Amino acid sequence: MEHFITTADFSADELDELIDRAGRMKRGEEAPTVAGKNLILLFFNPSLRTRTSFEFAMQQLGGNTVTLNTGGDTWKLEDREGVVMDGEAAEHITDAARVLGRYADAIGIRVFAAGESWEKDRKDPVLGAFVREAGVPVVNMESSLYHPNQALGDIMTVKEHFGRDIRGLPITITWANHPNPLPMAVANSILLISCRFGMDVRLVRPEGYDLDETVMDRAKELLKESKGSIRVTDNINEGFKGSRVVYAKSWGSIRFYGDKKREREHRKSLDGWIVDDEKMALTDGGVFMHCLPVRRNVVVTDSVIDGKSSIVYDEAENRLHAQKAVLCRLLGG
Ligand code: CP
């Protein structure tokens, strides 16, 4: 059985097959069906794009969707193993996964990092329980570590703009400031897929904002196969100069993990980390990308996101098409 947890589990050819198919569906050249198949979307965290794009994706493919928000639609779920369940949680995720797997042909899970212990969060325990227990394909709709559907839509968008072969194309993945420490999943995922496709990756972040070392190791393994390159720097000029794609994202520091107060204090010295016209002018006509939602005039200025270099809405749209290709692969459409 195949799951869609991270794009790193798929070869460049397999990802290209998904992207090509998504493109054909977008252009109306192909209209596959998964009629009669059932998809359950289980959200432990809020969403605007992921929920709507998955629901419409399944509807357009002729399948059925049930969406559940754990904040109100389900019983409160326990994710610790072996505990005496005499607290608030009425159901264990093991039982929820086994039951939902009896109804569904695939299950999408959104479960962000809890934000207290990186050692625990980096194991993606809830997602792992569904993979282990549900007995049907699991689609990661963003976990602690990965947001593969975002990355697939992102790279589809890059290919639409620059052509199918993006080997050697410079991409700047830049940290940006934000009032809150956010999950690392999007940054990890654009990094991994850029490396998988052999891009010239510049990871630009202030000191203390390194990504998880297992993700970095995986990225380097992918680069060996794809013959791409990576440079990690805190020098904004160096990271932006001559780039063709600027991908902005804020994420929390592993150093301050679980201590929001200390991290907020630290971030006061990082005000310059915003994508503005000055930084975009360093690029070689670079396009601006962000997964959204974005804090305007904190992460990126209005003039950049509303300017002609911005492709953020193509990116958001392509989530729909890319996810249709993923669902077809997993459900046999
Ligand atoms: N980019 C993204 O996943 O958006 P939502 O959090 O709104 O689903």
Side-chain angles (χ1 to χ4, degrees):
M1 189 196 336
E2 192 171 64
H3 304 284
F4 196 64
I5 303 301
T6 165
T7 60
D9 293 339
F10 296 81
S11 69
D13 284 346
E14 288 173 315
L15 295 173
D16 265 332
E17 262 177 45
L18 290 172
I19 292 166
D20 290 345
R21 193 165 199 206
R24 290 195 297 276
M25 286 191 261
K26 183 177 181 177
R27 293 187 297 274
E29 295 164 9
E30 195 181 326
T33 172
V34 296
K37 300 284 184 181
N38 298 325
L39 175 69
I40 292 175
L41 305 175
L42 182 61
F43 286 89
F44 288 79
N45 308 96
S47 162
L48 186 144
R49 279 144 290 272
T50 303
R51 176 176 174 172
T52 48
S53 56
F54 262 110
E55 287 188 359
F56 280 129
M58 199 58 181
Q59 191 182 55
Q60 289 171 20
L61 292 169
N64 312 305
T65 307
V66 168
T67 299
L68 297 170
N69 288 296
T70 60
D73 293 336
T74 70
W75 302 109
K76 191 167 168 46
L77 298 174
E78 175 62 63
D79 65 359
R80 293 169 300 167
E81 298 296 333
V83 293
V84 177
M85 285 178 54
D86 57 359
E88 275 184 45
E91 181 153 29
H92 201 277
I93 51 167
T94 301
D95 299 316
R98 289 175 183 166
V99 170
L100 294 179
R102 298 288 178 103
Y103 304 140
D105 297 291
I107 300 177
I109 306 285
R110 164 163 287 199
V111 56
F112 293 170
E116 283 165 23
S117 157
W118 181 237
E119 277 319 300
K120 183 180 176 202
D121 286 346
R122 74 203 289 271
K123 295 186 184 124
D124 267 333
V126 174
L127 190 69
F130 274 86
V131 167
R132 213 170 44 243
E133 304 292 348
V136 293
V138 172
V139 180
N140 183 356
M141 301 195 297
E142 190 173 347
S143 67
S144 300
L145 280 175
Y146 308 117
H147 196 355
N149 293 285
Q150 181 67 53
L152 194 66
D154 292 339
I155 223 71
M156 174 179 173
T157 312
V158 171
K159 285 170 177 265
E160 278 178 345
H161 281 260
F162 295 98
R164 197 168 185 270
D165 184 1
I166 52 173
R167 281 173 299 176
L169 188 79
I171 180 169
T172 301
I173 301 169
T174 180
W175 187 85
N177 213 339
H178 192 282
N180 302 310
L182 298 182
M184 284 167 257
V186 168
N188 291 340
S189 300
I190 188 64
L191 173 79
L192 289 170
I193 203 162
S194 303
C195 292
R196 169 60 91 196
F197 280 108
M199 297 180 80
D200 166 19
V201 181
R202 299 104 176 266
L203 179 60
V204 191
R205 88 289 172 261
E207 210 256 311
Y209 284 83
D210 285 324
L211 296 175
D212 185 78
E213 64 187 27
T214 57
V215 173
M216 291 304 293
D217 289 346
R218 186 81 181 105
K220 284 171 196 160
E221 279 169 28
L222 296 176
L223 285 170
K224 269 189 215 150
E225 291 169 32
S226 67
K227 310 275 187 281
S229 58
I230 188 164
R231 205 180 330 162
V232 182
T233 179
D234 60 2
N235 184 319
I236 290 173
N237 279 15
E238 186 189 322
F240 276 69
K241 196 160 178 239
S243 195
R244 306 298 307 280
V245 180
V246 173
Y247 196 106
K249 185 71 186 80
S250 193
W251 63 86
S253 167
I254 294 173
R255 184 191 290 177
F256 300 119
Y257 208 81
D259 191 344
K260 285 186 185 169
K261 197 164 162 244
R262 245 182 93 210
E263 177 150 16
R264 284 200 186 106
E265 274 304 303
H266 179 74
R267 284 177 179 222
K268 287 181 184 163
S269 63
L270 301 173
D271 273 352
W273 288 81
I274 179 171
V275 179
D276 54 18
D277 289 318
E278 212 179 359
K279 293 189 188 77
M280 291 302 292
L282 297 167
T283 68
D284 179 10
V287 294
F288 174 78
M289 300 182 73
H290 190 283
C291 62
L292 306 178
V294 70
R295 297 234 182 184
R296 284 171 172 249
N297 304 309
V298 176
V299 169
V300 58
T301 60
D302 282 337
S303 63
V304 170
I305 195 169
D306 293 330
K308 60 181 187 316
S309 67
S310 173
I311 56 172
V312 296
Y313 307 115
D314 294 338
E315 227 184 315
E317 180 191 335
N318 283 338
R319 292 284 307 276
L320 171 73
H321 309 296
Q323 287 160 196
K324 283 167 78 173
V326 170
L327 291 171
C328 283
R329 179 172 174 130
L330 297 180
L331 296 172

